[in-house]
Amino acid sequence: MKIVMYLNVISIFFHLTATETYNNETLYIPLIKWIRSYYSASAVFLLHSSSEDKNFDVWKLTYLSHTWSRLLHREQIATLSSTFKNIHVLDRNNTLRPLAIVFLSGSDAVFEFSKYSESFRISHFAWFVIFVPTATHAENYCYNPPGNPFNLLYDTEMLVMCAGDPVLREWYSVDGNNTVISDLVKWYPKKQLKSPTAVVDLLSNLTLHERRNDLKGKVLRAVTIKNSIFAKKGDKLEGYFSRAVNELEKYLNFTLDIVTEELEFGSFNVTTKCWNGAFRLVASGEVDIGLSDFSMTNFRLDYVDYTVPIITTRDCLYFKQPEMSAVKWLAYYKAYSFALWISLLMTIIIAQFTLAFIRSRIESTDLTMELYHEFIRIWGIFCQQGITEEFPRYSSLRLAYFTVLVTGIVIFAAYSASMISYVTAYVHNLPFRSIEEFVNDGTYDVILNKDSADYDMFALSKDPVSVHMMAKLRPIHTLPITIEDGFQRICDDPTLVYYSGYGKKMQGISNFHIPCDIVCIDTGRVDSLSLILPKNSQYTSILNYYVQKLLNTGLLNRFKNEVFFTKKNTFQPVGFYSVASVLIIFFCGVSLALIILIIEMYCNRYRNSQ
């Protein structure tokens, strides 16, 4: 038994010293560190075959794994050595995107790694695959792999090193059936002997997504929403979102096959724990992409991937604009603020006492009588009547009156401008002006789009506003399905409010019709609209990159209607209700004067009869 163990040790030592891979154990450490940094990986997993081999390949690779693990630990890099069959356990380890180094010592190891990677989403890791120099019958797999042996995806990041070849090649797959190979890095191991860092040349300066900008005409299955802003008319897609997707098709060389068109976006059934509508098809993976303006919520992110938001909107409570304006009883008072009115009153009082004091000292008259006279004069000046008697001869009085006259002119001009601006403003008498006032009002019912993200938000939330919204929400079977239907409802029924992120500004993009004048009460919530894909889709990152590129270059802004950017200012003429308070005061004054006249006439007639 001891003889067998000694022979095994001698055999292992012979194999470890026979090849370059094992001969210089530290040579690969700088290269591994460089690859880990290039892929922004965290820990390092060292994986090898678990099958037995008469030539002790498993023992050799285990020894090499432990040696590299020890050296990487010295570099403050967390490592773990394991076999292919434990790859699923490593995936559940919640490690932040590790770098997995795979040793392939022959065709059997290739088949084993292919077997275990078939049921594992390989893009969860970054990969460095090494075909060791002792690999038998594996050279063809390295340079010309048949089909897609490692079950690669479009977003897989894998570098492969063939035995004795300093060029590291990038592997990925577009259609899942074939492997795309391109030279990415050239390593100089001899130069690295004199350098503590990896000596490499990048053979491409393009980023990952710029290198993979060709889906080779792949057909993506899609679902759209009927009557949404991403509308399908005949065999063509129309609308703002369709133009964005058309640009993506040109950039990435893919086509869309709209397999179905749903009526609803989809909501989550708390009882059955299932989705409906278009969201169900995307979340289950029955289609590759959802083409419409899907709202992004934290709850939905657990089931699908969203692209970069293409449009952001502000959610509002919409209701029909009241046709009647209230009588502006306080319009003439609101031309100035309360503090300014107090300042004006104090100015009149000070001016009255100052002028009365000066006149009583100059003309040696009674101060009380002068206060009465100056009261009439001051009010005449501020009402633009001027001085009702001869201008004073004394310089002190002249200077005082001149100051009061100038002050009166300035105040009257400012008041006139402010009053005209306020009176001509066409302000409607709104029942509420904030979400809090809406909650306190309690006389309006709420509608929103059926099976939308807004419905899920209110149904799953426990905050007081959401609870009130759900209490005031009309029955779900009566809720509108389309945006136009929602606005039509509030135009037909003034007791309804419509919760939505689509208003007049969005008309410049989607061209939907609002049949009446509406009022928007901002709720404070910002809604992000974008495309959706199945959770952990291989196309999420590439679509995000090019959507963001479209947004950064401003290309999507060209597709927006000019109405979206320009706000039409309309000025209403002064209406009857703007001056109703003045007319009412006038008629009340005339009526009071007539009543007093009648009373005086009656009193005089009664007195004469006595």
Side-chain angles (χ1 to χ4, degrees):
M1 187 69 178
K2 292 183 178 180
I3 296 175
V4 174
M5 291 181 61
Y6 291 145
L7 291 175
N8 291 342
V9 172
I10 294 173
S11 177
I12 293 172
F13 179 80
F14 172 80
H15 284 287
L16 292 177
T17 56
T19 61
E20 182 184 359
T21 305
Y22 310 115
N23 190 33
N24 194 338
E25 299 165 348
T26 62
L27 185 65
Y28 285 78
I29 300 303
L31 178 62
I32 294 173
K33 290 171 58 180
W34 182 90
I35 295 174
R36 173 178 172 268
S37 176
Y38 181 76
Y39 283 135
S40 300
S42 55
V44 174
F45 293 164
L46 299 163
L47 306 175
H48 56 81
S49 174
S50 58
S51 61
E52 296 181 358
D53 194 288
K54 295 181 181 180
N55 294 322
F56 302 98
D57 284 337
V58 174
W59 286 32
K60 291 182 293 184
L61 293 176
T62 302
Y63 170 80
L64 183 63
S65 296
H66 287 293
T67 302
W68 283 7
S69 178
R70 185 182 73 254
L71 295 174
L72 290 172
H73 270 297
R74 293 177 182 176
E75 301 291 339
Q76 306 296 320
I77 299 175
T79 60
L80 186 133
S81 299
S82 187
T83 58
F84 296 156
K85 68 179 181 180
N86 294 324
I87 194 170
H88 296 86
V89 179
L90 299 177
D91 185 36
R92 295 193 296 268
N93 200 28
N94 293 327
T95 303
L96 182 63
R97 197 166 184 270
L99 171 65
I101 300 177
V102 178
F103 298 102
L104 297 178
S105 57
S107 58
D108 291 340
V110 173
F111 293 144
E112 183 181 354
F113 180 64
S114 176
K115 170 187 173 183
Y116 285 109
S117 64
E118 186 175 4
S119 57
F120 166 74
R121 193 178 189 281
I122 200 165
S123 297
H124 284 176
F125 295 175
W127 299 89
F128 179 31
V129 178
I130 302 175
F131 285 83
V132 298
T134 58
T136 57
H137 309 293
E139 184 175 353
N140 291 334
Y141 287 100
C142 187
Y143 290 102
N144 189 21
N148 183 15
F150 296 160
N151 304 291
L152 305 178
L153 300 173
Y154 189 71
D155 59 343
T156 301
E157 294 181 282
M158 175 182 286
L159 283 179
V160 178
M161 173 183 283
C162 298
D165 193 342
V167 177
L168 279 63
R169 294 170 176 84
E170 183 179 46
W171 285 23
Y172 67 96
S173 178
V174 175
D175 56 6
N177 299 320
N178 299 287
T179 303
V180 179
I181 301 176
S182 59
D183 297 346
L184 184 60
V185 181
K186 186 172 184 180
W187 180 41
Y188 299 93
K190 293 183 179 179
K191 294 182 180 180
Q192 190 175 290
L193 294 173
K194 300 179 181 180
S195 175
T197 59
V199 182
V200 296
D201 282 338
L202 271 174
L203 303 181
S204 174
N205 293 324
L206 301 177
T207 64
L208 173 69
H209 301 106
E210 290 172 342
R211 295 195 303 269
R212 303 183 186 182
N213 61 351
D214 187 2
L215 285 172
K216 303 184 184 302
K218 183 175 178 61
V219 179
L220 299 182
R221 299 164 300 167
V223 58
T224 63
I225 307 298
K226 191 175 183 180
N227 297 323
S228 71
I229 68 172
F230 193 103
K232 178 184 177 183
K233 293 185 178 181
D235 295 331
K236 295 183 178 180
L237 294 172
E238 296 183 358
Y240 177 73
F241 267 54
S242 64
R243 295 175 181 176
V245 173
N246 288 338
E247 291 297 321
L248 292 176
E249 287 181 312
K250 295 177 183 178
Y251 272 126
L252 298 175
N253 186 24
F254 71 91
T255 57
L256 293 170
D257 177 21
I258 300 179
V259 296
T260 183
E261 192 174 19
E262 294 288 324
L263 291 176
E264 303 163 355
F265 287 91
S267 62
F268 185 74
N269 190 313
V270 181
T271 304
T272 61
K273 306 296 182 182
C274 296
W275 291 92
N276 61 2
F279 212 87
R280 175 187 62 82
L281 298 176
V282 178
S284 63
E286 295 181 38
V287 296
D288 299 313
I289 188 171
L291 302 178
S292 192
D293 45 322
F294 290 91
S295 297
M296 185 184 301
T297 64
N298 292 332
F299 183 74
R300 287 184 167 189
L301 284 171
D302 294 334
Y303 297 89
V304 297
D305 286 343
Y306 281 84
T307 64
V308 175
I310 299 178
I311 304 175
T312 56
T313 64
R314 297 191 69 88
D315 288 348
C316 291
L317 286 176
Y318 294 101
F319 58 93
K320 187 177 181 180
Q321 181 173 275
E323 297 180 358
M324 301 294 290
S325 296
V327 177
K328 300 180 180 180
W329 292 104
L330 302 178
Y332 302 96
Y333 164 75
K334 291 185 177 180
Y336 281 164
S337 65
F338 179 77
L340 189 55
W341 280 117
I342 295 299
S343 300
L344 179 58
L345 181 61
M346 294 301 299
T347 300
I348 294 174
I349 294 174
I350 292 173
Q352 178 183 348
F353 274 92
T354 301
L355 289 171
F357 178 77
I358 294 175
R359 188 177 287 275
S360 65
R361 287 294 176 267
I362 292 177
E363 298 179 355
S364 300
T365 57
D366 183 47
L367 179 61
T368 304
M369 293 300 298
E370 292 299 334
L371 283 175
Y372 172 75
H373 294 153
E374 292 302 329
F375 176 79
I376 302 300
R377 296 190 186 102
I378 291 297
W379 278 105
I381 291 174
F382 277 93
C383 292
Q384 301 300 297
Q385 298 298 316
I387 301 177
T388 57
E389 58 186 33
E390 183 182 355
F391 200 71
R393 293 176 295 145
Y394 301 101
S395 299
S396 57
L397 280 177
R398 287 185 175 185
L399 181 60
Y401 277 116
F402 177 77
T403 302
V404 175
L405 283 169
V406 173
T407 304
I409 292 173
V410 173
I411 292 175
F412 181 80
Y415 176 81
S416 300
S418 179
M419 184 192 68
I420 292 172
S421 175
Y422 185 82
V423 171
T424 54
Y426 199 66
V427 180
H428 290 267
N429 184 27
L430 302 181
F432 49 85
R433 296 181 180 273
S434 66
I435 189 71
E436 291 78 12
E437 293 181 6
F438 166 75
V439 172
N440 296 330
D441 182 81
T443 59
Y444 282 75
D445 288 338
V446 180
I447 60 172
L448 45 79
N449 282 61
K450 183 181 178 182
D451 292 334
S452 62
D454 299 327
Y455 182 86
D456 289 339
M457 180 184 66
F458 291 132
L460 301 175
S461 179
K462 300 300 181 183
D463 69 275
V465 174
S466 298
V467 172
H468 178 81
M469 288 287 190
M470 288 302 296
K472 288 293 184 179
L473 189 66
R474 290 284 177 89
I476 187 171
H477 66 275
T478 64
L479 296 180
I481 296 178
T482 65
I483 301 169
E484 288 190 349
D485 188 18
F487 284 113
Q488 185 65 51
R489 298 275 189 93
I490 62 174
C491 290
D492 295 338
D493 188 351
T495 63
L496 284 179
V497 295
Y498 177 42
Y499 187 95
S500 177
Y502 297 88
K504 291 184 177 180
K505 288 187 176 181
M506 287 295 290
Q507 284 184 290
I509 294 179
S510 53
N511 295 321
F512 58 87
H513 176 62
I514 301 178
C516 64
D517 293 331
I518 58 175
V519 178
C520 169
I521 304 298
D522 192 356
T523 63
R525 179 176 177 263
V526 177
D527 197 4
S528 300
L529 307 178
S530 56
L531 311 176
I532 61 172
L533 302 96
K535 192 65 179 177
N536 298 321
S537 171
Q538 58 182 318
Y539 306 111
T540 301
S541 61
I542 189 68
L543 289 177
N544 277 336
Y545 177 83
Y546 282 98
V547 168
Q548 189 63 56
K549 189 173 182 179
L550 289 174
L551 294 171
N552 292 340
T553 57
L555 187 60
L556 290 182
N557 289 336
R558 292 169 47 194
F559 303 142
K560 294 181 180 179
N561 194 307
E562 292 183 356
V563 178
F564 185 72
F565 297 100
T566 59
K567 182 179 180 180
K568 185 178 180 181
N569 293 321
T570 58
F571 298 95
Q572 299 289 341
V574 178
F576 173 78
Y577 286 96
S578 297
V579 295
S581 59
V582 178
L583 297 178
I584 292 174
I585 293 173
F586 172 76
F587 285 114
C588 288
V590 171
S591 301
L592 181 61
L594 292 174
I595 292 172
I596 293 175
L597 175 63
I598 294 173
I599 294 174
E600 288 178 345
M601 290 175 62
Y602 178 79
C603 291
N604 288 335
R605 185 176 301 176
Y606 177 77
R607 194 177 294 114
N608 293 334
S609 64
Q610 295 293 330

